[in-house]
Amino acid sequence: DARVTQTPRHKVTEMGQEVTMRCQPILGHNTVFWYRQTMMQGLELLAYFRNRAPLDDSGMPKDRFSAEMPDATLATLKIQPSEPRDSAVYFCASGLGTGTYEQYFGPGTRLTVT
Amino acid sequence: AQTVTQSQPEMSVQEAETVTLSCTYDTSENNYYLFWYKQPPSRQMILVIRQEAYKQQNATENRFSVNFQKAAKSFSLKISDSQLGDTAMYFCASSSETSYDKVIFGPGTSLSVIP
């Protein structure tokens, strides 16, 4: 069955390194979301795209985070340079953008920055 | 701005019993959607049930049902005949009429089903 895929599933890196997380939305979905989940802040929306165009990235630290959709089958979230406070689980979700506006989540990337 | 509140950080229920998780939200919109998502230990977020604000009838999905009180801005989830597989974090969420794509999540309730 169709599902959102994310790579890598786990990433451990040192402070200052660049981290790139990738997401493949469900084929035919035109909206893509990036969330960050931590114990302290819960689930936060970082950015989202509709038809590959960024609609809202107000939840994202602009100085070090960037999100792109090079094509309809790939969304990326990049952190450069990474910091220990970026340690979290990052989820990608996709949706049809119409109807019930249901979002389908990927399995997440657990990022640890030491 | 929309907000979603879940006042019960943790709950437990005996297997086969019924449990209700609370959720309140705040919005100035007339039309919106409400959701309950489940996050089991596997971390996968799964949509459990959705409610359209303009529909008065409460949504049901098998053992899951909601009590939607629009005037009180309350949206509770009832799980009947609880099963061990229901052990998970449950997130209440809402979207706005002006931006249906943007879903605001509550802090979550950790539910443990005890055998």
Side-chain angles (χ1 to χ4, degrees), chain A:
Chain A
D1 58 333
R3 58 182 66 188
V4 176
T5 59
Q6 288 186 248
T7 56
R9 294 292 307 274
H10 300 89
K11 177 72 175 180
V12 180
T13 191
E14 292 183 348
M15 183 174 62
Q17 296 298 305
E18 176 179 301
V19 175
T20 298
M21 290 168 271
R22 293 177 175 81
C23 166
Q24 183 172 20
I26 292 173
L27 191 63
H29 284 188
N30 67 347
T31 54
V32 175
F33 308 82
W34 282 105
Y35 292 91
R36 175 171 63 182
Q37 186 177 34
T38 62
M39 289 293 292
M40 294 299 294
Q41 300 297 327
L43 203 58
E44 306 172 274
L45 177 66
L46 296 175
Y48 79 101
F49 297 77
R50 184 183 298 143
N51 296 322
R52 295 176 57 201
L55 283 195
D56 187 345
D57 61 1
S58 59
M60 204 163 65
K62 301 291 192 303
D63 56 339
R64 299 182 300 107
F65 285 59
S66 62
E68 296 179 347
M69 279 202 76
D71 60 60
T73 64
L74 177 65
T76 63
L77 179 66
K78 187 177 296 185
I79 308 174
Q80 168 63 17
S82 58
E83 298 180 1
R85 59 180 168 153
D86 300 329
S87 296
V89 179
Y90 291 81
F91 287 100
C92 174
S94 71
L96 285 169
T98 60
T100 59
Y101 302 95
E102 177 178 339
Q103 296 184 18
Y104 297 80
F105 282 75
T109 294
R110 180 178 291 280
L111 174 65
T112 303
V113 183
T114 60

Side-chain angles (χ1 to χ4, degrees), chain B residues 79-99:
Chain B
I79 306 174
S80 304
D81 185 26
S82 297
Q83 300 176 358
L84 297 179
D86 296 334
T87 293
M89 281 289 286
Y90 287 82
F91 293 93
C92 180
S94 74
S95 66
S96 73
E97 178 182 35
T98 53
S99 181

Side-chain angles (χ1 to χ4, degrees), chain B residues 18-50:
Chain B
T18 295
V19 64
T20 298
L21 308 184
S22 302
C23 172
T24 57
Y25 60 92
D26 190 16
T27 180
S28 57
E29 310 272 356
N30 283 324
N31 293 320
Y32 46 90
Y33 287 87
L34 296 165
F35 310 89
W36 277 99
Y37 280 86
K38 168 185 176 181
Q39 187 178 37
S42 67
R43 235 172 43 207
Q44 180 72 52
M45 292 281 282
I46 304 163
L47 180 69
V48 174
I49 200 166
R50 72 176 73 84

